[in-house]
Amino acid sequence: MKLTLGFSPCPNDTFIFDAMIHQKVDTEGLEFEVKMADVKELNEWALEDQLDISKLSFHAYAHVFNQYILLNAGSALGFGCGPLLIAKDQISEETINEGPVAIPGALTTAHFLLNLAYPGIKNKKALLFSEIEEAVLDESFKAGLIIHENRFTYQEKGLVKLIDLGAFWEEKFQLPIPLGGIFCRRNFDSNLTEKIDRVIRRSVEFAFANPEAPRAFIQQHAQEMDPEVQQKHIDLYVNDFSIDLGKEGQAAIQHLFDYARAQKIVPESDLPIFHKYSE
């Protein structure tokens, strides 16, 4: 059975999916047609119901509850791994609110966190995450919201951190920050959903046990070609939560949605967040 699978070219995703898409682990008869794209585009594709399985921001998930459901394996959660708001120099909250501020997509969890920390920002524009540093450097934007490997490179370019939005979340709620997860179609048979979940977990576990195995695939697609930066990226975003959300991971995601719905940031829904297999 062949399924469409969407994920980003970032090192954490290529690390996770290498084994399963290249048949290095038992995929239980599943094959995957890979559609690789930036997280902004993946989120937009989900609104159009384009893919069978996809990496999505948790913020985006709130808008596609009817079509997709969260799997237990493959998620990016953790401590000290949140998005950063950066600028050329330290600037005031008033200047930040005036903008313009570059964001890596309206449906990213990064944008959701920015709304929590700076609800007064009105002038925002979505760019590809890889374009944001340069857009701030050339003063097209007063500030920029960076994700992925850019958090390891902004200082080398002379940019400064205004706020770590992951730390903001952690201090406010004492929970790991849920950034993105892996989702499949909600209307899949439960047996198929559970099979996909098992295969993804097997792929993550293989990568942890054989860290050199996905190296060529990671290098082929990484925006930042320095292997040290690639490894920092993987270490930051792939962890025990990527194997199994567990109670702590599920609690963090549940709180994110409860809080976002209470603040009217995302739509209400009576559908379950998690597939029953992960409960």
Side-chain angles (χ1 to χ4, degrees):
M1 182 179 190
K2 180 172 280 190
L3 301 169
T4 52
L5 167 64
F7 57 88
S8 82
C10 294
N12 61 313
D13 283 355
T14 47
F15 178 86
I16 284 173
F17 290 108
D18 170 69
M20 57 187 275
I21 65 173
H22 294 118
Q23 302 291 314
K24 297 176 183 178
V25 294
D26 180 10
T27 62
E28 302 185 37
L30 297 179
E31 297 179 12
F32 304 96
E33 180 184 345
V34 174
K35 304 288 187 179
M36 205 175 289
D38 171 77
V39 66
K40 174 179 176 291
E41 192 167 15
L42 292 171
N43 289 337
E44 291 167 354
W45 286 352
L47 294 175
E48 300 168 359
D49 199 21
Q50 287 195 22
L51 301 175
D52 297 321
I53 311 162
S54 186
K55 171 76 171 283
L56 298 175
S57 302
F58 281 112
H59 187 188
Y61 181 36
H63 297 270
V64 293
F65 255 77
N66 289 337
Q67 299 107 295
Y68 292 95
I69 192 163
L70 174 63
L71 298 176
N72 197 42
S75 286
L77 290 84
F79 295 95
C81 62
L84 308 178
L85 187 66
I86 52 98
K88 286 190 74 172
D89 300 290
Q90 291 295 331
I91 56 178
S92 67
E93 182 171 347
E94 182 180 2
T95 301
I96 295 170
N97 284 338
E98 288 174 358
V101 175
I103 60 172
L107 293 179
T108 57
T109 307
H111 183 215
F112 166 77
L113 292 170
L114 184 67
N115 285 337
L116 294 187
Y118 293 96
I121 300 176
K122 303 300 181 187
N123 188 3
K124 294 174 280 191
K125 183 178 179 180
L127 303 180
L128 285 175
F129 81 93
S130 54
E131 298 174 347
I132 290 175
E133 287 176 323
E134 293 303 322
V136 175
L137 283 168
D138 69 18
E139 300 185 354
S140 299
F141 292 84
K142 296 285 183 62
L145 187 58
I146 58 171
I147 56 175
H148 300 326
E149 54 261 52
N150 294 130
R151 64 177 291 129
F152 304 115
T153 60
Y154 75 95
Q155 290 175 307
E156 297 170 5
K157 298 180 180 179
L159 297 165
V160 299
K161 178 177 68 177
L162 302 176
I163 187 174
D164 182 328
L165 291 171
F168 169 82
W169 168 273
E170 291 162 28
E171 291 166 9
K172 190 174 182 67
F173 299 116
Q174 290 77 54
L175 289 167
I177 175 63
L179 297 171
I182 310 302
F183 303 82
C184 74
R185 293 191 187 278
R186 193 176 281 272
N187 64 0
F188 276 171
D189 175 87
S190 183
N191 290 331
L192 176 57
T193 300
E194 291 165 15
K195 181 186 291 190
I196 295 167
D197 212 350
R198 285 195 302 272
V199 170
I200 294 172
R201 175 170 181 154
R202 199 172 292 141
S203 190
V204 179
E205 290 175 330
F206 181 90
F208 274 133
N210 304 275
E212 290 306 310
R215 192 65 57 192
F217 187 55
I218 293 166
Q219 189 76 17
Q220 179 185 352
H221 295 286
Q223 177 213 358
E224 174 54 61
M225 302 310 287
D226 183 341
E228 184 177 345
V229 173
Q230 293 171 16
Q231 191 58 51
K232 285 181 179 178
H233 184 110
I234 293 165
D235 292 342
L236 192 65
Y237 297 112
V238 188
N239 51 37
D240 288 345
F241 292 120
S242 307
I243 297 173
D244 188 316
L245 285 171
K247 291 183 178 180
E248 185 178 22
Q250 289 195 12
I253 294 164
Q254 183 70 58
H255 187 78
L256 178 79
F257 281 99
D258 289 346
Y259 187 85
R261 287 167 176 167
Q263 298 298 313
K264 309 296 184 186
I265 296 173
V266 301
E268 292 282 349
S269 177
D270 294 328
L271 294 170
I273 293 174
F274 310 101
H275 176 57
K276 64 180 181 180
Y277 180 65
S278 64
E279 295 179 351

